[in-house]
Amino acid sequence: MGSQGGWGQSKEFLDLVKSIGEARSKAEEDRIILREIETLKRRIAEPDVPRRKMKEYLIRLVYVEMLGHDASFGYIHAVKMTHDDSLLLKRTGYLAVTLFLNEDHDLIILIVNTIQKDLRSDNYLVVCAALTAVCKLINEETIPAVLPQVVELLGHSKEAVRKKAVLALHRFYQRAPNSVSHLISNFRKRLCDNDPGVMGATLCPLFDLIKEDINSYKDLVVSFVSILKQVAERRLPKTYDYHQMPAPFIQIKLLKILALLGGGDKQASGHMYTVLGDIFRKVEASSNIGNAVLYECICCVSSIYPSPKLLETAVDATSRFLKSDSHNLKYMGIDALGRLIKINPDIAEEHQLAVIDCLEDPDDTLKRKTFELLYKMTKSSNVEVIVDRMIDYMISINDNHYKTEIASRCVELAEQFAPSNQWFIQTMNKVFEHAGDLVNVRVAHNLMRLIAEGFGEDDEGADSQLRSSAVDSYLHILGEPKLPSVFLQVICWVLGEYGTADGKYSASYILGKLCDVAEAHSTDDTVKAYTTSAIMKICAFEIAVGRKVELLPECQSLIDELSASHSTDLQQRAYELQALLGLDSQAVESVMPLDASCEDIEQIDKNLSFLDSFVIQSIEKGARPYIPENERSGMFNIGNFRSQYQHEASSHSLRFEAYELPKPSPPPTVAQVALPLPTTDLVQMPEQTYPRETHQAANLPSATHASSADFGVKLRLEGVQRKWGRPTYSSPSASSSSSTQKTANGATHLDGGGTASSQTRDSFYDSRRQQAEVSAEKQKLAASLFGASTVKSEKRQPSAHKTPKGISTSTEKPAVKGAISSSEPPKEKTLPSSPPPDLLDLGEPTPASIPSVDPFKQLEGLLGPTSAPSAIDHSSAAGPKAPDLMALYADAPPAGVSSGSLNPALADMYTVNKNSHETANVAAVKKGPNLQDSLQKDATARQVGVTPTGNNPNLFSDLLG
Amino acid sequence: MGIRFILLVNKQGQTRLAQYYEYLTLEERRALEGEIVRKCLARTEQQCSFVEHRNYKIVYRRYASLFFLVGVDNDENELAILEFIHLLVETMDRHFGNVCELDIMFHLEKAHFMLEEMVVNGCIVETSKTNILAPIQLMDRAS
């Protein structure tokens, strides 16, 4: 078929496609489409449009939507087209509908009927078209309408129909697992379908099922292994081959399933070792697809119960990936390494230089993947280098999504492995400064708590040193023009608590700074609240030691401004501050004790007994006594809660629905005393419509959640006073500087053990800068990342004694030296295998990196005599193989519903292809000598952007342009 | 889920085919296509064929003027997806014979039919070219 379109396409359509193809800008394309929309709107509404014409209109509508414009005016015609008798038109109709509508669209209901009819059709292609549509259009509600038919089609004589029926069922499972929970066994049955296409498709739902519930499918391990074995032995039809690999996509899916099933299960994993070893051996690492299978094998090996032999092979394969020149393979290698180090962290050390190359690669994708690896291998000895690198990278990127991720990783690592509190605070400062708006508020609270609590040891000196260094750094940072709100909150809080603690800065200096902050961020209420509280604390500390506080004019005007603020919170803080300024020193000290943010507040009088006299006075003056809410004239009686609502609605009295039940606390006692109680006293609401509306809205949830509402009320009954008393005390406002943070923040573990002072680090960087030679730098980095043991011991010593700079530089040297010596051997190793360009080196260097093909031989020994011949001679093994396989089946334990029937079926279903398999082998042998040539071709083809099909070098040669 | 969407985009960034396996509104599609096409087209031949974008990855491959972009979940085997793209191209090639951008444009529905056979529910379900093309050829013959 030429590129000029087939028969039956009108000139109009050809012109449209051409003009879209030739459009040179998005604007031009939009103009064409807008014109097209006008044309289509007219044409499509004409009476008696011929059906073929209508099909073309639909395709044009698909174009309209694909290019980003609304084509909803034509949806109904797509729906109509699905009724058509002609298969092509029907399928086009279904296609258009699936592209236009999501499963919850109103028009779907019109299609369900057509689908039902088509599922009954004699023409299996019509059935297939309907099943394809089912996978896209049926939602949870309409599943029952087609489910029985779909189940029936699982036994259809045509394999294409069975396959689609399995997939439709898979779709139902994805949408609403409960709707098909009784039909799960069908997937097991279809796994032994004698058509490999059906079997391959069934792997998809099984994968999902196994992911949810691994243990229920352990019995299938043997079946999966034997299927994989047969696939790898080329027992599937040749049409499944892809670039000489037998059904690689099915192999990959099977490997994924095995990885799930074998996780932490020694017995299940034991079944897999042989076949995994076979695949490792057979895969041709010169093709992309071979590497894809290889990678999946590595994933599988690293997730199942470890086998030392297989791990060794996996590590070899990974190192080949890492040493490759192809960025894609390096990427896969880094990923694989990340999986393998979970089993054995030492594996990474051998590849340190490769990893650092990837880290410094200009390719962003590779860099990120490497950061992911570093994140996985962080420990207290290398946390400083890794987090520094991460922060540098974080600063350099603009992608907010990734910035958030890497920032939270930095925080996580710093919290987990921080060598010193000072380093932690500095790191946090950097994270906040550059990604403050993206990190979780929790992180800010953790930081404040850390500064307040200090080391957790009883070393007050170190704690206050830490605090003054924090204050110093914050006063410095405040000079920066733009700071994130969360960070400012931390800064204000710390300045308020500790700004004047060491006497280095005067109160008025700190107050001035705080006022500047409030002024500069006049739109951020939270920051202003924090500054006000900080000002209050500074003033309180001053008053407490007997000094007179002279408020700066800007400070006074700030307070005045806040007292009139729209935010009640700010107002309250301002008034509290003013009230505090009027108190004497003793009162102030008990209200705002110095450095008491970590003290627990005790002796809270939850009964507010100190108000008793006030209450008695009020009652004497004629106020009504307080009646607990639940006792109030049965209004809140739980029993008839719902009937109460209805009653209320009819009487139009109080709008109770405005006061949601679970909400805490009516206002405190004083207000309660004055609260008018009997609802009947109230005047009828003037606007009657409003309560009715709200009531209806409120009635629905109350009806459905009656039980939960009841529960809420019950809670209330038990301890009303405590309930409404609490919020006043536990309010998280920072002004109270209460200890609530302590409990709220959860426990963070700080590793105080690895203490390396930041001085050592600084000097380390200084010396690094002097080094002009790149490779030395890299090695150093490698040493700091990987050479854990040597560097660690070197670092610890100086930091423990807090040695001055001079000494620490000298101690750094042996560390570097050690690193060089430790990283030298792998480098030498890589040298011989590096020269061959492109993908070629994947095939070549095997002998270089693996000393003669030994590991495989060892594996063979492991496999025993039965499978050994298959490894050595392929074609001759095909004969004796079959009985062998049968024996394997016989050994298999009966696997629930399926495997009894499965095994014989599997055994004979692929033997038909044995002949073709043999010829395939011959072909493969013939190809042998040409391997080099074809690889060369591959490489050149790759450079021009065309990918290797070999038989089709002109692929795309006649493309546009 | 695996595969979330498959996009064919030419080197000017114009969409030539779009198939989504999870529902996105028109505006969302427009925004997504704009973002990722910009990202992928800016990359060089030497760089990885994979790009991370939000919480998923895009695997892409270029054939002359056409880019094939496949959005996948994070736990998908990227190399396999890369080869899946090639399998798709080989399949189109077998059907159209030296397939080119215009073939896909003139026979958009055919290209979609092939995809419908190969990917269902976001999973690769059929990889035999014969099986993929059989219904399409039968349909051609019937009409």
Side-chain angles (χ1 to χ4, degrees):
Chain A
M1 233 176 273
S3 55
Q4 289 310 301
W7 50 274
Q9 290 179 326
S10 73
K11 177 148 189 325
E12 231 178 27
F13 179 72
L14 299 182
D15 287 346
L16 171 71
V17 168
K18 267 195 187 141
S19 62
I20 293 173
E22 284 161 9
R24 283 287 158 259
S25 67
K26 185 74 193 154
E28 191 182 339
E29 188 187 272
D30 281 344
R31 271 198 302 279
I32 297 167
I33 294 298
L34 288 175
R35 213 181 319 128
E36 179 66 14
I37 290 175
E38 289 313 308
T39 318
L40 282 175
K41 271 187 183 162
R42 253 183 298 117
R43 292 293 181 76
I44 220 162
E46 281 170 12
D48 300 330
V49 179
R51 287 151 56 215
R52 290 213 157 265
K53 197 84 194 152
M54 189 51 99
K55 178 202 160 209
E56 192 188 293
Y57 290 155
L58 284 187
I59 304 290
R60 285 156 75 171
L61 284 171
V62 169
Y63 262 104
V64 168
E65 286 238 321
M66 183 173 83
L67 296 173
H69 297 265
D70 178 48
S72 52
F73 63 89
Y75 288 175
I76 188 67
H77 298 283
V79 172
K80 278 188 197 155
M81 184 65 89
T82 61
H83 303 321
D84 204 284
D85 292 331
S86 150
L87 176 62
L88 180 63
L89 300 191
K90 182 185 280 292
R91 195 154 177 205
T92 308
Y94 275 131
L95 172 71
V97 171
T98 56
L99 289 172
F100 292 149
L101 309 181
N102 76 329
E103 53 180 32
D104 295 323
H105 197 280
D106 294 338
L107 289 176
I108 294 290
I109 204 71
L110 297 177
I111 298 175
V112 173
N113 227 330
T114 322
I115 290 180
Q116 282 177 325
K117 203 177 105 241
D118 288 345
L119 289 177
R120 280 193 294 269
S121 168
D122 295 334
N123 183 344
Y124 83 94
L125 288 173
V126 171
V127 181
C128 283
L131 282 170
T132 308
V134 164
C135 286
K136 287 270 196 165
L137 300 174
I138 296 295
N139 63 16
E140 200 173 339
E141 284 160 37
T142 38
I143 285 175
V146 293
L147 187 59
Q149 284 174 293
V150 169
V151 173
E152 201 179 307
L153 290 171
L154 285 169
H156 198 274
S157 61
K158 273 285 177 188
E159 60 279 356
V161 175
R162 292 199 300 274
K163 179 174 72 185
K164 301 248 170 193
V166 166
L167 295 169
L169 214 54
H170 179 208
R171 172 65 173 184
F172 298 160
Y173 174 76
Q174 285 178 333
R175 273 285 150 267
N178 291 332
S179 66
V180 292
S181 51
H182 57 294
L183 297 165
I184 299 279
S185 62
N186 282 297
F187 292 130
R188 284 164 169 269
K189 256 184 243 160
R190 284 303 126 211
L191 183 65
C192 359
D193 197 289
N194 51 20
D195 179 74
V198 181
M199 180 274 292
T202 312
L203 296 176
C204 299
L206 279 173
F207 177 74
D208 284 0
L209 285 165
I210 293 171
K211 210 155 60 174
E212 287 301 310
D213 177 15
I214 293 170
N215 287 327
S216 307
Y217 295 88
K218 291 278 188 191
D219 57 307
L220 286 181
V221 169
V222 181
S223 311
F224 286 127
V225 167
S226 78
I227 294 174
L228 182 57
K229 198 167 157 60
Q230 295 182 62
V231 174
E233 283 168 0
R234 301 179 178 272
R235 285 168 177 256
L236 254 50
K238 254 204 124 267
T239 55
Y240 281 92
D241 282 11
Y242 174 81
H243 295 190
Q244 280 91 50
M245 274 287 282
F249 296 98
I250 292 179
Q251 285 195 45
I252 287 170
K253 198 82 198 177
L254 282 164
L255 286 167
K256 275 186 194 291
I257 291 176
L258 290 183
L260 287 178
L261 286 171
D265 184 336
K266 196 173 179 180
Q267 202 198 350
S269 304
H271 291 293
M272 305 169 191
Y273 292 157
T274 319
V275 72
L276 285 174
D278 280 351
I279 295 176
F280 264 124
R281 194 169 31 219
K282 279 181 192 160
V283 161
E284 253 189 85
S286 57
S287 66
N288 255 340
I289 192 67
N291 286 320
V293 175
L294 213 50
Y295 164 79
E296 206 58 59
C297 278
I298 299 172
C299 294
C300 184
V301 165
S302 63
S303 110
I304 63 176
Y305 188 87
S307 137
K309 287 257 166 62
L310 283 177
L311 270 179
E312 204 177 297
T313 323
V315 170
D316 280 346
T318 307
S319 69
R320 255 178 291 141
F321 283 173
L322 285 170
K323 284 169 191 162
S324 153
D325 282 340
S326 148
H327 273 63
N328 287 348
L329 287 185
K330 278 188 186 165
Y331 179 93
M332 303 311 271
I334 294 278
D335 185 271
L337 197 58
R339 292 168 189 271
L340 290 170
I341 56 165
K342 276 186 207 150
I343 301 172
N344 180 5
D346 298 335
I347 295 169
E349 266 173 59
E350 194 192 322
H351 303 289
Q352 34 187 296
L353 286 178
V355 170
I356 285 164
D357 275 341
C358 292
L359 188 65
E360 286 173 354
D361 199 280
D363 186 347
D364 225 35
T365 309
L366 200 52
K367 209 176 236 175
R368 285 184 192 186
K369 196 77 198 173
T370 315
F371 273 120
E372 212 177 293
L373 172 71
L374 292 183
Y375 167 74
K376 284 180 195 155
M377 51 180 257
T378 307
K379 45 197 166 188
S380 47
S381 61
N382 58 13
V383 64
E384 292 169 76
V385 188
I386 290 180
V387 171
D388 272 354
R389 284 258 162 179
M390 280 185 167
I391 290 177
D392 285 349
Y393 180 64
M394 182 189 81
I395 294 169
S396 73
I397 56 173
N398 295 320
D399 174 354
N400 270 354
H401 184 266
Y402 193 64
K403 216 171 189 162
T404 314
E405 194 179 304
I406 202 163
S408 64
R409 281 187 171 175
C410 285
V411 171
E412 190 188 322
L413 291 178
E415 282 180 353
Q416 212 177 338
F417 298 112
S420 70
N421 277 3
Q422 200 151 14
W423 178 84
F424 180 75
I425 287 175
Q426 276 171 353
T427 306
M428 286 297 128
N429 285 356
K430 277 192 229 159
V431 173
F432 275 121
E433 204 177 327
H434 298 285
D437 291 326
L438 303 171
V439 297
N440 198 321
V441 189
R442 185 193 62 87
V443 176
H445 292 164
N446 267 353
L447 180 59
M448 290 188 236
R449 199 196 52 169
L450 180 97
I451 294 175
E453 284 181 351
F455 283 83
E457 297 149 18
D458 292 327
D459 187 358
E460 267 305 313
D463 285 358
S464 57
Q465 205 186 347
L466 167 82
R467 287 165 194 157
S468 30
S469 75
V471 169
D472 278 347
S473 70
Y474 289 157
L475 284 173
H476 180 72
I477 285 171
L478 275 182
E480 300 278 326
K482 210 169 154 255
L483 291 170
S485 172
V486 184
F487 192 30
L488 281 168
Q489 292 163 26
V490 176
I491 292 179
C492 289
W493 188 84
V494 172
L495 288 184
E497 284 286 326
Y498 304 111
T500 55
D502 61 354
K504 195 169 157 190
Y505 302 101
S506 71
S508 60
Y509 177 74
I510 302 283
L511 287 178
K513 284 281 180 190
L514 288 169
C515 289
D516 289 347
V517 173
E519 203 180 327
H521 300 85
S522 52
T523 49
D524 189 335
D525 276 0
T526 325
V527 170
K528 278 204 279 190
Y530 270 85
T531 45
T532 321
S533 300
I535 290 171
M536 176 150 57
K537 280 182 227 165
I538 298 285
C539 293
F541 301 153
E542 287 296 296
I543 295 170
V545 294
R547 268 181 292 225
K548 185 106 181 70
V549 178
E550 295 278 348
L551 275 190
L552 303 166
E554 66 252 44
C555 200
Q556 190 58 54
S557 66
L558 174 71
I559 297 171
D560 291 344
E561 182 208 318
L562 295 186
S563 328
S565 168
H566 285 299
S567 154
T568 49
D569 175 58
L570 288 180
Q571 260 193 44
Q572 185 180 351
R573 283 168 202 256
Y575 281 117
E576 277 172 9
L577 173 54
Q578 278 171 328
L580 186 113
L581 289 174
L583 294 175
D584 64 86
S585 66
Q586 221 179 347
V588 168
E589 199 177 354
S590 55
V591 173
M592 282 267 165
L594 188 61
D595 188 19
S597 61
C598 298
E599 312 293 321
D600 285 322
I601 293 179
E602 281 156 19
Q603 295 169 330
I604 294 171
D605 185 359
K606 285 173 182 160
N607 293 322
L608 304 185
S609 56
F610 56 87
L611 284 175
D612 282 352
S613 62
F614 175 76
V615 173
I616 292 166
Q617 247 177 16
S618 302
I619 290 175
E620 276 169 1
K621 279 181 191 158
R624 286 171 193 276
Y626 173 68
I627 305 168
E629 217 171 353
N630 51 321
E631 289 168 22
R632 256 175 261 166
S633 65
M635 275 315 288
F636 282 83
N637 197 319
I638 332 127
N640 48 15
F641 172 62
R642 273 175 59 199
S643 63
Q644 197 57 54
Y645 256 113
Q646 277 143 19
H647 162 73
E648 222 174 84
S650 55
S651 71
H652 295 304
S653 50
L654 259 184
R655 286 184 291 135
F656 279 100
E657 52 275 42
Y659 301 92
E660 286 267 349
L661 269 171
K663 289 257 174 72
S665 80
T669 350
V670 196
Q672 288 296 340
V673 173
L675 195 77
L677 290 173
T679 51
T680 41
D681 283 0
L682 273 188
V683 202
Q684 226 176 5
M685 299 291 297
E687 59 306 17
Q688 298 199 346
T689 47
Y690 175 60
R692 185 170 286 161
E693 273 169 19
T694 48
H695 167 72
Q696 273 171 350
N699 205 6
L700 269 171
S702 86
T704 46
H705 298 293
S707 61
S708 66
D710 273 350
F711 184 63
V713 180
K714 252 178 212 149
L715 265 182
R716 238 156 198 260
L717 257 175
E718 282 159 17
V720 181
Q721 270 193 317
R722 199 159 39 93
K723 267 284 169 196
W724 62 256
R726 185 173 282 163
T728 24
Y729 293 104
S730 63
S731 100
S733 78
S735 69
S736 65
S737 72
S738 73
S739 65
T740 44
Q741 274 176 1
K742 191 174 178 179
T743 48
N745 283 328
T748 33
H749 165 69
L750 272 173
D751 189 357
T755 46
S757 76
S758 59
Q759 285 158 342
T760 8
R761 199 166 46 93
D762 287 345
S763 63
F764 167 55
Y765 277 127
D766 286 343
S767 62
R768 221 187 91 186
R769 248 172 252 136
Q770 287 157 9
Q771 298 269 358
E773 216 187 353
V774 188
S775 66
E777 205 174 285
K778 266 185 198 167
Q779 277 166 353
K780 211 180 276 177
L781 179 61
S784 48
L785 286 176
F786 300 89
S789 48
T790 45
V791 180
K792 206 185 199 169
S793 58
E794 298 294 342
K795 261 189 183 169
R796 270 206 177 160
Q797 205 193 357
S799 61
H801 300 290
K802 303 249 173 207
T803 27
K805 270 191 181 181
I807 301 173
S808 66
T809 31
S810 67
T811 51
E812 192 61 38
K813 271 177 194 159
V816 175
K817 222 170 155 191
I820 292 171
S821 64
S822 78
S823 55
E824 208 91 296
K827 202 197 170 196
E828 276 173 351
K829 219 171 158 189
T830 54
L831 267 175
S833 65
S834 54
D838 211 326
L839 278 174
L840 278 170
D841 74 324
L842 278 172
E844 298 301 291
T846 358
S849 54
I850 309 169
S852 68
V853 205
D854 262 349
F856 288 138
K857 278 228 175 98
Q858 288 173 332
L859 255 175
E860 273 162 27
L862 190 85
L863 302 181
T866 42
S867 51
S870 80
I872 298 158
D873 191 347
H874 225 314
S875 49
S876 72
K881 201 91 231 210
D884 203 4
L885 222 121
M886 293 303 288
L888 216 151
Y889 284 138
D891 286 346
V897 202
S898 56
S899 68
S901 61
L902 160 76
N903 291 339
L906 275 179
D908 59 12
M909 76 188 185
Y910 304 130
T911 41
V912 197
N913 307 305
K914 229 187 287 171
N915 289 336
S916 66
H917 157 236
E918 256 168 25
T919 50
N921 261 326
V922 175
V925 172
K926 264 188 191 163
K927 277 219 166 132
N930 288 332
L931 188 68
Q932 198 69 23
D933 285 1
S934 58
L935 278 173
Q936 210 84 47
K937 224 187 268 170
D938 188 334
T940 42
R942 211 165 282 268
Q943 272 166 355
V944 268
V946 182
T947 341
T949 32
N951 53 356
N952 195 5
N954 288 331
L955 178 68
F956 286 133
S957 60
D958 59 343
L959 269 172
L960 261 195
Chain B
M1 187 75 175
I3 298 177
R4 302 207 185 185
F5 57 81
I6 296 174
L7 284 177
L8 268 61
V9 178
N10 71 3
K11 64 171 186 270
Q12 279 91 37
Q14 296 160 319
T15 312
R16 288 296 169 251
L17 183 148
Q19 179 64 267
Y20 289 84
Y21 297 97
E22 59 187 347
Y23 181 74
L24 294 178
T25 63
L26 213 57
E27 288 73 34
E28 286 168 333
R29 292 178 186 202
R30 239 184 135 138
L32 178 107
E33 285 170 28
E35 264 178 76
I36 61 171
V37 166
R38 217 176 311 124
K39 255 189 182 174
C40 293
L41 266 55
R43 293 173 66 82
T44 65
E45 294 273 322
Q46 284 78 41
Q47 290 179 315
C48 284
S49 313
F50 323 128
V51 181
E52 286 179 22
H53 183 77
R54 298 184 191 278
N55 49 347
Y56 52 88
K57 275 183 285 208
I58 296 143
V59 178
Y60 69 94
R61 201 159 178 166
R62 181 179 174 172
Y63 294 87
S65 67
L66 259 195
F67 283 82
F68 287 66
L69 313 165
V70 181
V72 294
D73 281 340
N74 268 325
D75 49 2
E76 204 67 25
N77 182 335
E78 294 90 347
L79 273 185
I81 298 293
L82 203 60
E83 288 311 287
F84 166 76
I85 294 176
H86 192 70
L87 174 68
L88 173 63
V89 173
E90 282 183 3
T91 311
M92 288 179 171
D93 212 45
R94 182 183 284 190
H95 184 75
F96 293 113
N98 283 343
V99 66
C100 72
E101 191 177 330
L102 271 184
D103 283 325
I104 297 168
M105 291 182 77
F106 281 123
H107 305 281
L108 190 61
E109 76 278 15
K110 294 254 173 66
H112 269 293
F113 292 157
M114 288 177 210
L115 269 185
E116 279 184 345
E117 297 297 325
M118 296 173 81
V119 182
V120 181
N121 307 332
C123 302
I124 300 173
V125 297
E126 185 58 78
T127 52
S128 148
K129 277 169 244 175
T130 317
N131 288 2
I132 297 165
L133 292 176
I136 296 161
Q137 283 157 354
L138 282 173
M139 214 153 50
D140 274 353
R141 237 171 282 154
S143 60

